[in-house]
C-alpha cells in the first residue's frame, strides 16, 4: 500500500500540522503525536548542520531572548546555535550581567523584555515553575530550558532523538536512569517522555536521592546498580552535584562511585548493544568511569549534536503567529 | 473533476522531457537532478531513469525540502507550521548543471524558495527547471525550461498531480477549490 | 455616659451551644450587653425591634484566634484598620493577632500600641498574642508576665516553632502562672529545611522542595509530651496532617490539656492544586494529601479539633507574584472563612451549625480565656448573624483586606454573613442580604459598654 497522501494546500505544498501548546514548559504539555512531530522535524533539521552554509532563513526577523538565570554553557550555546541556524535575532541575558542582581523581580524583568516584543523567550532558572510565571506574564512563547528541579524538556527530547537514532525505536526498550533522581529535572522530563513513547523505565540511586511516591511515576526503583543495569538497552547517568554532600545524601564521592559509579564491568550486565547517555557536564570518576564515558557505547557527543537539531525543531514549530 | 492527464500521458510527458534534456546537453556528466518535495521527487527519479535508458548515464538525484525557505512561513493567519521533511543531496552542487524538478509550476514562489535553498548548498554552474504541469498565474519572473503540459486554469481551481509512488496511480486532475 | 439604647432582634434562629440554645428566639440587647434571650420576649416601650432577615441565624460572635495583621512593620500588606475591616466583613467580632510584626510584639509597649490602634479602628475586638521568645528568635523567653499584664491573651512564636524542647517546656511552665496558653507552630525546622510544599507526589513531580508531614507530627508529639510533663495547656496551631491528628486525639484521651485548630483551606484543598505553581496555594503548613484532609474532617467531627482559625496572612501582590519557592508563605482567610465553612462543612453534612459555632466562637473564647463565645445574659453583645443560604461568589477585588492572596477566588459558596455586631453596635452589614439594612439603621449608633 502506498503511504497516505499528504494533505495539500492550494499552492501544492504540504499542509501544516503543529503544536497546540503556546509554550514548552513540560513534556506533559505534549501529546505523543506532538513528541513524534518534534523528533521528525529534528531529524530533518540535522541535515542543515551538515551543509557548508549552516543557515536557513526560517526565523528571519524573529527575536529570541535567551534569559538565563543559572550558569549554563551547553544548553545556552545549543539554543544559540539553533537560533542562528534558523536566522533568528538572538539576545542573551545572563543573570550576572542584568538588572536581576540589582534586585529586580523576575516579573519586572519579563515585563521589560516583553515591551521589546520578543517572539520567543528561552528561560533557564533556579526555581521550579519559573517558566510558568514568565509565560503568564508575556505574549511571547516560552521555552523552558531548565527550571530548578522541575523539568528540562528539550534535554529529554534530544535524548529521545538519540535513542531513536541508535535503536530505531523507543517503544519496548528497557531504559535505566541512574544517579541523583531527586534533584534532577532531566529525570523528570525523561520519565514523562519515555513513558509516553512506551519505554520501560527503571531507576537506581541512593535511597536518599529517590523520589517519594516513586510508584506513581511508573518506574521500577532499585538501589542495586547491578539490578538496574541488567538487560538494559539504554543506561542514562545523571550528574551528581558535588554540593549535595552538605544535605547528608551520601558520605563521600568515593563511596558514591563504589556503589553507583558506572564502570565497564558493571556495564557487562547490560544488553550487548546498550548505549550510555549523560546529560552533562560529567563528573568523571563519580557517576561515570572515564573508560565508560569514552567507550564505544557512549553516545554522549551525539546527544550534544542532537541538542541543536531538537532545539531548532522546537523553535521552528513554536514560531508561528497563531497565539501571538 | 476533469482529468487533464491520464497515466499514459504522464509517462509520455516524462519520457519526452528526458529526450529534450538529452538534446539540450552535450553531455550528462555534469548534470544532477534535484526533486522538490513532495511530488517533484518521484518525477525526478523517473526522469533519471529515462535519462539512463536513453544514454546509459546515471545522473545523481537529490531531494530538496523548501519548507524553511518559504516566504509565507510566518504569515499564516491561522494554522501551525508546515511539516519539515529531510533534504537529501549527497553530492556537491558546485559548478554542476542542476535540473530542478517539480510537479506544478504556479506562482513561482516555490521555485524562488528552491533557488535560495540551492544557493545555500553551493554555487551551481547553471540551474534549469522541469515541471510536469505549468498552470500559469506567475507572481515572480520565473519560467520553466521543460514543461510536460501547459494547463490553462482559473485562480479558483487547483491542479492535483497524483503519482503512483505517492497516491498509487498516475493522473492529473483539476478541482474547483470550492471542493465540489 | 451609660448607654441605655435597647434593641431586640426578633425572628432569628439562635444557635448558642454553651447555653444549649438552638432554635427560634429573640435577643434583647441593652447598654451594649445581652440582657435576655428567649421566645416571644415582651417588648417594652423605647425598644427598637429589628426583624432578622428570613432564615437568619443569630450566633455568639465568631472569634478568629490566628491572624496576622502586619501592623506595625508591614503596612503595605495589611494594617490593623484594613485587617479589622476584613474581620468584621467576614463575620468575626474578635481576632487574636500574632506577634509577627516589626518590631515583634515581645514587649508591653508593642502590645499597648496594637491595642490602641485596634480601638481606634472601632471594629472587631483585638486580642494580641505575645511572642514566646524575644524577637521570636527562639533563644530567650520574652517578658511574658508583662505581656500578659498589657493585654496579651496567649504567647506564640507564630510562623516559627519553638525549636528547643527545653525552652518550650519552660515557656509552658512559665505561661501557666498567668493561665495563658502557648500556641505552637508545629514544624521541625531541621527536617522541614527549605521546603516549600507538602512532600508528596505533586511537589516531587513539580520539582518543589518538600515539607514532610513528619516535620509537623514530630513537634506535635513533642508538645503533647511536654504538656503532659508540665500539666500546662498547649495549643497547636493550624494542624494539617493525619499524624498530628492522631497525636492530639490520643493525648486528649489521656487527659493532656492540649487544644488545636485547623484552617478552612486545609479542610478544603489538597496539594494537587500546586500544578501551575499558583503562589496562592503556598502556605505553611502546606496543602497536604486527601488522606490528611479526611483525617482533619474526622477531627472536626469527633472533637479532636477545637477551633477553626484562618491563619489570615496577607501579602502584597508583588511579593506573591514571584517564583514559587521565593514567594512568601500564607493566604488570607478572614473574608472567606464563614462561607467556606458553611458550604463545605455544614451544607456538606460534616458538622451541624451548632458545632460550627463551637469551632468558631465558643472554643476560641474558652481557649484564650476571653469574653464571648456565648449569648448568656450579661455578656457583651458580640453577635454574628449568618445567612446560611446566601449564595456568595468570592471576589477578591471587593475584599476589605489590603491583600488579595486567597486560594478561593471565584468560588461560588452557599452561606454568608448578614451582620456583625460588636458591643451591641453593628460594625458590618451585608447589603447583599435583603432586609439587612434595618440592622444597620437601628444599631449603628449603639456604643460599646
Amino acid at each position: 500500500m502506498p503511504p497516505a497522501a499528504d494533505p495539500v494546500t492550494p499552492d501544492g505544498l504540504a499542509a501544516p500540522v503543529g503544536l497546540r501548546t503556546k509554550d514548552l514548559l513540560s513534556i506533559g504539555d505534549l501529546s505523543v503525536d506532538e513528541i513524534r512531530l518534534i523528533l521528525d522535524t529534528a531529524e530533518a533539521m540535522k541535515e542543515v548542520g551538515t551543509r557548508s552554509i549552516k543557515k536557513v532563513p526560517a526565523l528571519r526577523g524573529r527575536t529570541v531572548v535567551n534569559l538565563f538565570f543559572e550558569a549554563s554553557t551547553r544548553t545556552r550555546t545549543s539554543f544559540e546555535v539553533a537560533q542562528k541556524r534558523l536566522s533568528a535575532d538572538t539576545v542573551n541575558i545572563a543573570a550576572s550581567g542584568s538588572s536581576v542582581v540589582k534586585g529586580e523581580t523576575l516579573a519586572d524583568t519579563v515585563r521589560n523584555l516583553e515591551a521589546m516584543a520578543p517572539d520567543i523567550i528561552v528561560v533557564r532558572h533556579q526555581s521550579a515553575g519559573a517558566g510558568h510565571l514568565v509565560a503568564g506574564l508575556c505574549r511571547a512563547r516560552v521555552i523552558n530550558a531548565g527550571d530548578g528541579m522541575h523539568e528540562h524538556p528539550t534535554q529529554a527530547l534530544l535524548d529521545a532523538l538519540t535513542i531513536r537514532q541508535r535503536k530505531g525505536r523507543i517503544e519496548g526498550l528497557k531504559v535505566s536512569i541512574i544517579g541523583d533522581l531527586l534533584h534532577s529535572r532531566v529525570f523528570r522530563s525523561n520519565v514523562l517522555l519515555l513513558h509516553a513513547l512506551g519505554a520501560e523505565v527503571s531507576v537506581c540511586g541512593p535511597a536518599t536521592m529517590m523520589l517519594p511516591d516513586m510508584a506513581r511515576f511508573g518506574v521500577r526503583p532499585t538501589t542495586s546498580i547491578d539490578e538496574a543495569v541488567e538487560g538494559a538497552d539504554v543506561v542514562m547517568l545523571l550528574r551528581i552535584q558535588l554540593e549535595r554532600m552538605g544535605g547528608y545524601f551520601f558520605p563521600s564521592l568515593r563511596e558514591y562511585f563504589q556503589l553507583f559509579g558506572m564502570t565497564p564491568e558493571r556495564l557487562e550486565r547490560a544488553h550487548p548493544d546498550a548505549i550510555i547517555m549523560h546529560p552533562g557536564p560529567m563528573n568523571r570518576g563519580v557517576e561515570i568511569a572515564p573508560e565508560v564515558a569514552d567507550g564505544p557505547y557512549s553516545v554522549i557527543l551525539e546527544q550534544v549534536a542532537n541538542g541543536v537539531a531538537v532545539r531548532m525543531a522546537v523553535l521552528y514549530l513554536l514560531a508561528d503567529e497563531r497565539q501571538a | 473533476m476533469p482529468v487533464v492527464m491520464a497515466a499514459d500521458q504522464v509517462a509520455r510527458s516524462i519520457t519526452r522531457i528526458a529526450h529534450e534534456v538529452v538534446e539540450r546537453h552535450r553531455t550528462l556528466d555534469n548534470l544532477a537532478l534535484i526533486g522538490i518535495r513532495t511530488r517533484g521527487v518521484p518525477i525526478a527519479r523517473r526522469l533519471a531513469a529515462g535519462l539512463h535508458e536513453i544514454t546509459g548515464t546515471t545522473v545523481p538525484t537529490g531531494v530538496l525540502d523548501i519548507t524553511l525557505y518559504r516566504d509565507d512561513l510566518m504569515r499564516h493567519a491561522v494554522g501551525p507550521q508546515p511539516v519539515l521533511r529531510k533534504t537529501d543531496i549527497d553530492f556537491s552542487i558546485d559548478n554542476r548543471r542542476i535540473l530542478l524538478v517539480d510537479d506544478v509550476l504556479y506562482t513561482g514562489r516555490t521555485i524562488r524558495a528552491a533557488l535560495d535553498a540551492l544557493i545555500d548548498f553551493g554555487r551551481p554552474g547553471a540551474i534549469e527547471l522541469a515541471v510536469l504541469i505549468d498552470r500559469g498565474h506567475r507572481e515572480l519572473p520565473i519560467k520553466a525550461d521543460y514543461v510536460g503540459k501547459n494547463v490553462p486554469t482559473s485562480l479558483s481551481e487547483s491542479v492535483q498531480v497524483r503519482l503512483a509512488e505517492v497516491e498509487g496511480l498516475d493522473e492529473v486532475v483539476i478541482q474547483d477549490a470550492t471542493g465540489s | 455616659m451609660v448607654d441605655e439604647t435597647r434593641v431586640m432582634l426578633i425572628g432569628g434562629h439562635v444557635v448558642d451551644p454553651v447555653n444549649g440554645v438552638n432554635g427560634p428566639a429573640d435577643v434583647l440587647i441593652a447598654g451594649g450587653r445581652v440582657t435576655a434571650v428567649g421566645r416571644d420576649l415582651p417588648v417594652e416601650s423605647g425598644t427598637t425591634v429589628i426583624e432578622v432577615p428570613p432564615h437568619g441565624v443569630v450566633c455568639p460572635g465568631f472569634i478568629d484566634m490566628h491572624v496576622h495583621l502586619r501592623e506595625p512593620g508591614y503596612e503595605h500588606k495589611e494594617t490593623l484598620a484594613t485587617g479589622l475591616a476584613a474581620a468584621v466583613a467576614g463575620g468575626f467580632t474578635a481576632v487574636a493577632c500574632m506577634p509577627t510584626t516589626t518590631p515583634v510584639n515581645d514587649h508591653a509597649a508593642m502590645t499597648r500600641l496594637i491595642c490602641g490602634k485596634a480601638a481606634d479602628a472601632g471594629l472587631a475586638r483585638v486580642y494580641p498574642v505575645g511572642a514566646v521568645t524575644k524577637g521570636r528568635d527562639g533563644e530567650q523567653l520574652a517578658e511574658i508576665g508583662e505581656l500578659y499584664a498589657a493585654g496579651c491573651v496567649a504567647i506564640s512564636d507564630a510562623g516559627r516553632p519553638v525549636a528547643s524542647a527545653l525552652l518550650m517546656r519552660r515557656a509552658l511552665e512559665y505561661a501557666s502562672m498567668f493561665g495563658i496558653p502557648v500556641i505552637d507552630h508545629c514544624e521541625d525546622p531541621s527536617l522541614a529545611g527549605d521546603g516549600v510544599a507538602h512532600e508528596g507526589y505533586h511537589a516531587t513531580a513539580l520539582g518543589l522542595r518538600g515539607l514532610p508531614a513528619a516535620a509537623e507530627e514530630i513537634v506535635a508529639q513533642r508538645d503533647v509530651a511536654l504538656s503532659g510533663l508540665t500539666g500546662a495547656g498547649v495549643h497547636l496551631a493550624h494542624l494539617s496532617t493525619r499524624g498530628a491528628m492522631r497525636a492530639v486525639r490520643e493525648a486528649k484521651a489521656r487527659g493532656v490539656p492540649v487544644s488545636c485548630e485547623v484552617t478552612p483551606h486545609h479542610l478544603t484543598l489538597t496539594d494537587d492544586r500546586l500544578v501551575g505553581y499558583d503562589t496562592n496555594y503556598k502556605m505553611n503548613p502546606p496543602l497536604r494529601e486527601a488522606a490528611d484532609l479526611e483525617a482533619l474532617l474526622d477531627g472536626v467531627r469527633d472533637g479532636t479539633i477545637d477551633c477553626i482559625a484562618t491563619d489570615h496572612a496577607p501579602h502584597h501582590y508583588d511579593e506573591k507574584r514571584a517564583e514559587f519557592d521565593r514567594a512568601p508563605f500564607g493566604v488570607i482567610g478572614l473574608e472567606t472563612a464563614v462561607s467556606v465553612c458553611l458550604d463545605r462543612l455544614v451544607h456538606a453534612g460534616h458538622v451541624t451549625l451548632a458545632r460550627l459555632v463551637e469551632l468558631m466562637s465558643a472554643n476560641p473564647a474558652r481557649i484564650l480565656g476571653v469574653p464571648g463565645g456565648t449569648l448568656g445574659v450579661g455578656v457583651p453583645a458580640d453577635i454574628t448573624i449568618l445567612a446560611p443560604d446566601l449564595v456568595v461568589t468570592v471576589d477578591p477585588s471587593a475584599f476589605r483586606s489590603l491583600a488579595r492572596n486567597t486560594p478561593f477566588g471565584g468560588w461560588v459558596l452557599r452561606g454568608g454573613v448578614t451582620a456583625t455586631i460588636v458591643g451591641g453596635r453593628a460594625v458590618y452589614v451585608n447589603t447583599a442580604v435583603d432586609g439587612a439594612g434595618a440592622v444597620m439603621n437601628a444599631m449603628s449608633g449603639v456604643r460599646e459598654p
Side-chain angles (χ1 to χ4, degrees):
Chain A
M1 212 181 89
D6 289 322
V8 170
T9 53
D11 56 357
L13 292 169
V17 294
L19 306 179
R20 287 161 307 149
T21 181
K22 168 181 169 275
D23 309 297
L24 180 58
L25 304 178
S26 161
I27 291 295
D29 296 339
L30 302 171
S31 68
V32 173
D33 285 344
E34 288 173 319
I35 291 169
R36 294 212 173 98
L37 173 67
I38 292 172
L39 298 182
D40 292 346
T41 305
E43 299 261 18
M45 288 293 186
K46 282 191 79 166
E47 178 270 326
V48 175
T50 65
R51 303 180 186 179
S52 54
I53 298 174
K54 299 176 180 60
K55 200 178 189 71
V56 293
L59 295 197
R60 207 177 51 181
R62 302 274 133 177
T63 304
V64 183
V65 175
N66 295 316
L67 183 57
F68 277 60
F69 293 89
E70 211 180 51
S72 156
T73 307
R74 189 174 314 239
T75 303
R76 192 184 52 70
T77 310
S78 178
F79 266 108
E80 205 177 331
V81 170
Q83 291 150 9
K84 289 191 187 315
R85 285 193 180 164
L86 292 172
S87 304
D89 295 319
T90 297
V91 182
N92 289 313
I93 300 176
S96 57
S98 76
S99 50
V100 173
V101 289
K102 298 172 195 157
E104 188 174 67
T105 65
L106 176 58
D108 281 339
T109 303
V110 170
R111 289 163 149 222
N112 277 285
L113 284 177
E114 176 76 355
M116 302 175 207
D119 298 285
I120 297 178
I121 300 179
V122 179
V123 190
R124 155 78 60 107
H125 197 284
Q126 304 89 325
S127 294
H132 292 72
L133 181 65
V134 173
L137 290 167
C138 67
R139 290 151 43 98
R141 288 157 172 269
V142 177
I143 300 174
N144 176 8
D147 61 332
M149 309 187 314
H150 176 227
E151 281 207 46
H152 191 357
T154 57
Q155 176 72 41
L157 288 162
L158 74 89
D159 289 342
L161 182 64
T162 308
I163 296 171
R164 208 173 73 165
Q165 271 168 208
R166 278 300 187 109
K167 297 284 175 190
R169 67 190 163 102
I170 289 176
E171 192 176 354
L173 290 184
K174 199 167 170 287
V175 182
S176 279
I177 307 180
I178 299 166
D180 181 357
L181 304 159
L182 182 62
H183 301 98
S184 176
R185 55 192 173 210
V186 174
F187 164 69
R188 284 171 177 77
S189 285
N190 257 306
V191 79
L192 290 174
L193 195 157
L194 290 167
H195 274 152
L197 296 186
E200 185 194 318
V201 182
S202 62
V203 298
C204 175
T208 50
M209 289 175 151
M210 290 281 184
L211 280 59
D213 232 343
M214 200 61 122
R216 280 185 75 180
F217 289 88
V219 296
R220 203 164 48 81
T222 173
T223 54
S224 154
I225 190 157
D226 288 340
E227 194 184 319
V229 173
E230 189 73 48
D233 299 294
V234 178
V235 175
M236 196 180 283
L237 302 173
L238 300 174
R239 174 178 166 76
I240 287 293
Q241 283 166 320
L242 306 182
E243 61 271 22
R244 293 292 172 218
M245 277 187 297
Y248 318 117
F249 289 103
F250 54 89
S252 68
L253 295 176
R254 182 172 161 274
E255 178 151 319
Y256 183 88
F257 184 72
Q258 282 173 1
L259 291 174
F260 299 101
M262 186 52 61
T263 60
E265 299 74 46
R266 283 180 168 150
L267 204 51
E268 277 172 20
R269 291 173 175 269
H271 189 278
D273 296 328
I275 56 172
I276 290 282
M277 308 180 78
H278 193 298
M282 282 184 278
N283 295 306
R284 287 168 179 261
V286 180
E287 67 264 8
I288 186 165
E291 298 76 27
V292 174
D294 303 326
Y297 25 66
S298 165
V299 296
I300 293 166
L301 295 177
E302 271 174 57
Q303 289 175 271
V304 178
N306 284 337
V308 174
V310 154
R311 287 165 184 133
M312 287 173 79
V314 169
L315 287 161
Y316 167 72
L317 291 168
L318 279 182
D320 74 77
E321 285 180 325
R322 271 173 306 158
Q323 293 169 48
Chain B
M1 202 166 63
V3 175
V4 184
M5 289 175 103
D8 56 334
Q9 291 169 289
V10 171
R12 275 204 301 278
S13 288
I14 293 173
T15 307
R16 180 173 51 73
I17 292 172
H19 280 283
E20 286 177 28
V21 171
V22 174
E23 279 168 28
R24 280 210 216 166
H25 294 82
R26 220 160 13 88
T27 163
L28 300 188
D29 292 346
N30 200 31
L31 186 71
L33 302 185
I34 291 182
I36 299 173
R37 281 195 190 270
T38 302
R39 285 169 191 76
V41 176
I43 298 174
R45 296 227 167 88
R46 292 189 200 182
L47 209 45
L51 293 172
H52 182 79
E53 203 163 292
I54 300 164
T55 66
T57 308
T58 300
V59 178
T61 304
V63 174
L64 183 64
D65 185 295
I66 55 92
T67 306
L68 295 170
Y69 292 83
R70 283 171 64 161
D71 60 3
D72 59 347
L73 201 50
M74 299 299 158
R75 292 170 199 274
H76 300 287
V78 289
Q81 298 286 63
V83 178
L84 177 66
R85 295 215 159 76
K86 207 170 170 185
T87 290
D88 188 6
I89 302 173
D90 61 0
F91 47 85
S92 166
I93 67 167
D94 283 345
N95 299 318
R96 269 190 197 271
R97 294 186 81 86
I98 301 295
L99 179 55
L100 269 179
V101 183
D102 203 2
D103 56 348
V104 179
L105 179 58
Y106 179 26
T107 62
R109 289 178 189 270
T110 299
I111 304 306
R112 194 282 308 159
L115 292 172
D116 276 1
L118 268 188
I119 283 159
D120 279 356
F121 280 87
R123 188 179 183 283
I127 303 177
E128 295 177 310
L129 173 63
V131 296
L132 187 60
I133 303 290
D134 182 346
R135 61 167 291 192
H137 304 292
R138 214 77 75 238
E139 292 169 3
L140 295 173
I142 281 168
K143 183 173 173 298
D145 301 277
Y146 312 93
V147 177
K149 184 178 172 100
N150 284 293
V151 179
T153 58
S154 75
L155 283 170
S156 68
E157 291 169 324
S158 84
V159 176
Q160 305 275 327
V161 173
R162 293 177 184 144
L163 296 171
E165 294 89 333
V166 183
E167 285 90 1
L169 83 165
D170 285 355
E171 93 183 337
V172 180
V173 299
I174 292 185
Q175 276 181 320
D176 202 85
T178 54
S180 54
Chain C
M1 193 182 85
V2 179
D3 184 351
E4 292 301 340
T5 313
R6 300 164 69 85
V7 173
M8 192 183 293
L9 294 169
I10 64 162
H13 181 110
V14 174
V15 177
D16 177 12
V18 171
N19 292 303
V21 180
N22 191 349
D26 304 331
V27 178
L28 182 63
I29 299 163
R33 292 182 180 274
V34 175
T35 52
V37 177
R39 294 195 82 152
D40 305 322
L41 293 178
V43 180
E44 294 175 30
S45 67
T47 302
T48 307
V49 174
I50 302 167
E51 195 147 349
V52 174
H55 313 295
V57 175
V58 179
C59 312
F62 283 11
I63 299 169
D64 188 343
M65 68 176 293
H66 194 133
V67 303
H68 302 268
L69 294 182
R70 304 302 190 203
E71 187 177 354
Y74 304 98
E75 289 86 348
H76 65 291
K77 297 175 192 259
E78 189 86 287
T79 65
L80 280 155
T82 58
L84 295 173
V88 297
F92 292 101
T93 58
V95 297
C97 65
M98 291 294 158
T100 47
T101 49
T102 299
V104 171
N105 183 14
D106 59 1
H107 54 288
M110 185 55 54
T111 307
R112 283 194 288 268
L113 174 83
I114 291 168
C115 291
K117 288 223 176 203
D120 291 346
L123 296 164
R125 299 179 200 274
V126 170
Y127 299 115
V129 176
V132 176
T133 62
K134 285 186 179 148
R136 293 168 57 234
D137 62 8
E139 297 287 328
Q140 216 181 340
L141 282 183
E143 289 166 343
I144 295 166
E146 195 181 80
L147 287 168
Y148 170 71
C152 285
V153 297
I155 52 168
S156 176
D157 275 356
R160 297 176 194 161
V162 178
S164 155
L166 176 64
L167 184 58
M168 184 65 179
R169 172 196 179 156
R170 298 289 182 243
L172 286 166
E173 289 168 338
Y174 198 82
S176 71
M177 293 194 296
F178 313 103
I180 59 174
V182 180
I183 301 174
D184 201 19
H185 171 120
C186 296
E187 182 180 36
D188 181 319
S190 69
L191 190 55
D194 52 4
V196 297
H198 170 64
E199 181 175 308
Y201 172 76
H202 291 287
T204 306
L206 292 166
L208 296 172
R209 290 185 300 275
L211 290 164
E216 174 175 293
E217 191 178 342
I218 286 167
V219 176
Q221 295 271 18
R222 181 204 70 173
D223 286 352
V224 159
L226 291 173
S227 177
L229 175 70
T230 60
V234 67
H235 178 80
L236 307 183
H238 46 53
L239 293 182
S240 64
T241 60
R242 47 198 195 266
M245 278 299 102
R246 272 195 305 271
V248 172
R249 185 175 290 118
E250 184 268 343
K252 283 188 166 185
R254 282 189 289 124
V256 174
V258 57
S259 60
C260 69
E261 73 196 24
V262 64
T263 69
H265 48 271
H266 287 111
L267 287 170
T268 48
L269 304 170
T270 48
D271 62 346
D272 54 328
R273 302 267 174 178
L274 297 173
V275 175
Y277 301 94
D278 184 343
T279 57
N280 284 332
Y281 298 111
K282 179 178 178 181
M283 65 288 281
N284 188 0
L287 297 179
R288 304 287 185 184
E289 299 166 13
D292 295 301
L293 190 151
E294 286 304 320
L296 296 179
L297 286 174
D298 285 343
V300 164
R301 284 186 293 250
D302 71 10
T304 304
I305 289 170
D306 298 276
C307 312
I308 292 173
T310 65
D311 194 10
H312 179 82
H315 291 292
H316 195 266
Y317 71 86
D318 251 359
E319 298 164 316
K320 275 291 196 181
R321 195 179 59 192
E323 300 88 320
F324 194 90
D325 55 0
R326 295 182 190 187
F329 288 108
V331 296
I332 56 173
L334 281 168
E335 290 172 82
T336 49
V338 163
S339 292
V340 169
C341 292
L342 283 172
D343 187 291
R344 296 304 165 102
L345 298 180
V346 176
H347 294 313
H350 295 296
V351 298
T352 61
L353 207 45
R355 172 69 179 139
L356 187 70
V357 173
E358 284 178 6
L359 289 161
M360 298 185 78
S361 177
N363 291 346
R366 172 177 55 79
I367 291 163
L368 296 175
V370 299
T374 87
L375 292 177
V377 171
V379 306
D382 290 2
I383 295 170
T384 300
I385 305 177
L386 302 177
D389 295 314
L390 181 71
V391 175
V392 173
T393 301
V394 178
D395 174 12
S397 70
F399 282 166
R400 267 80 168 168
S401 169
L402 269 189
R404 301 286 179 264
N405 52 311
T406 173
F408 299 114
W411 283 38
V412 179
L413 298 163
R414 190 173 140 220
V417 176
T418 297
T420 309
I421 297 162
V422 175
R425 190 167 66 98
V427 289
Y428 170 76
V429 171
N430 186 353
T431 52
V433 177
D434 290 338
V439 181
M440 180 58 97
N441 295 338
M443 303 183 75
S444 56
V446 182
R447 305 297 310 171
E448 271 191 77

